[in-house]
Amino acid sequence: EPEVTQTPSHQVTQMGQEVILRCVPISNHLYFYWYRQILGQKVEFLVSFYNNEISEKSEIFDDQFSVERPDGSNFTLKIRSTKLEDSAMYFCASSGLGGALNYEQYFGPGTRLTVT
Amino acid sequence: AQKITQTQPGMFVQEKEAVTLDCTYDTSDPSYGLFWYKQPSSGEMIFLIYQGSYDQQNATEGRYSLNFQKARKSANLVISASQLGDSAMYFCAMSPIYNQGGKLIFGQGTELSVKP
């Protein structure tokens, strides 16, 4: 069964450093997302991406964040200068089989980011 | 603004019994989708069930069913014949756009514990 994959599973970084979280969405999915979950809290939407551009972003997704689809398979989230409050689990998700009514978003296993 | 409310932070159920997890939502959009996800202690987000706002019948997926009451704006998850493996966090979510690519808005979650 196809699945969303994410690397690394755990990333530890120092405050102020740049991090890149990587995701490989399900092939032939068209919509890609990043969410985050601070420990013990609910899952929060960060950004959605379609047709090689951002379709929607939340207030959390400020200038420190960027997303990219550098090739036909990878989808990345970059945080330019990490802060302590960026420590969270980051989930990548994908959805949408072209032409089919498929609304479910399939989540990857997450990357736990720890900023020290 | 769209909002999901899950009022039960924790629930207990005896193995083999049924349990209902509550979810209410608030939206002014005429079209939306409602979702339930399961998050085991390992952290991944597992899609369980989807209900569209114009669907006439309640959604069912195996032991999961969604009790959709549109007038009350509720979308409760019913798990029949609970199993020990059902112990997890359960999140209700809503997508305010009734098509592909809409962001998910999550509730705070309900932690379900299944007792042997």
Side-chain angles (χ1 to χ4, degrees), chain B residues 50-93:
Chain B
Y50 163 81
Q51 176 87 42
S53 60
Y54 285 111
D55 293 342
Q56 296 295 318
Q57 291 191 327
N58 287 344
T60 60
E61 288 287 347
R63 294 187 298 112
Y64 304 108
S65 60
L66 201 152
N67 184 359
F68 180 46
Q69 298 189 43
K70 194 171 182 178
R72 294 186 175 184
K73 291 190 175 179
S74 74
N76 299 338
L77 177 70
V78 180
I79 306 174
S80 63
S82 298
Q83 301 172 356
L84 295 178
D86 294 333
S87 294
M89 274 299 272
Y90 288 81
F91 290 97
C92 180

Side-chain angles (χ1 to χ4, degrees), chain B:
Chain B
Q2 293 82 21
K3 187 178 179 182
I4 292 280
T5 302
Q6 294 180 255
T7 56
Q8 307 154 314
M11 289 279 287
F12 288 92
V13 65
Q14 205 68 37
E15 195 179 6
K16 299 180 186 176
E17 291 185 350
V19 63
T20 298
L21 306 184
D22 294 342
C23 172
T24 58
Y25 60 91
D26 190 20
T27 182
S28 55
D29 292 301
S31 300
Y32 47 89
L34 295 157
F35 305 77
W36 278 91
Y37 283 83
K38 173 184 178 181
Q39 187 177 43
S41 57
S42 50
E44 71 268 31
M45 295 287 287
I46 303 167
F47 165 76
L48 294 178
I49 196 166
Y50 163 81
Q51 176 87 42
S53 60
Y54 285 111
D55 293 342
Q56 296 295 318
Q57 291 191 327
N58 287 344
T60 60
E61 288 287 347
R63 294 187 298 112
Y64 304 108
S65 60
L66 201 152
N67 184 359
F68 180 46
Q69 298 189 43
K70 194 171 182 178
R72 294 186 175 184
K73 291 190 175 179
S74 74
N76 299 338
L77 177 70
V78 180
I79 306 174
S80 63
S82 298
Q83 301 172 356
L84 295 178
D86 294 333
S87 294
M89 274 299 272
Y90 288 81
F91 290 97
C92 180
M94 176 175 66
S95 175
I97 301 173
Y98 195 65
N99 57 24
Q100 295 163 302
K103 66 183 179 188
L104 288 172
I105 297 164
F106 284 86
Q108 293 285 355
T110 294
E111 184 168 11
L112 177 66
S113 298
V114 180
K115 294 181 175 181

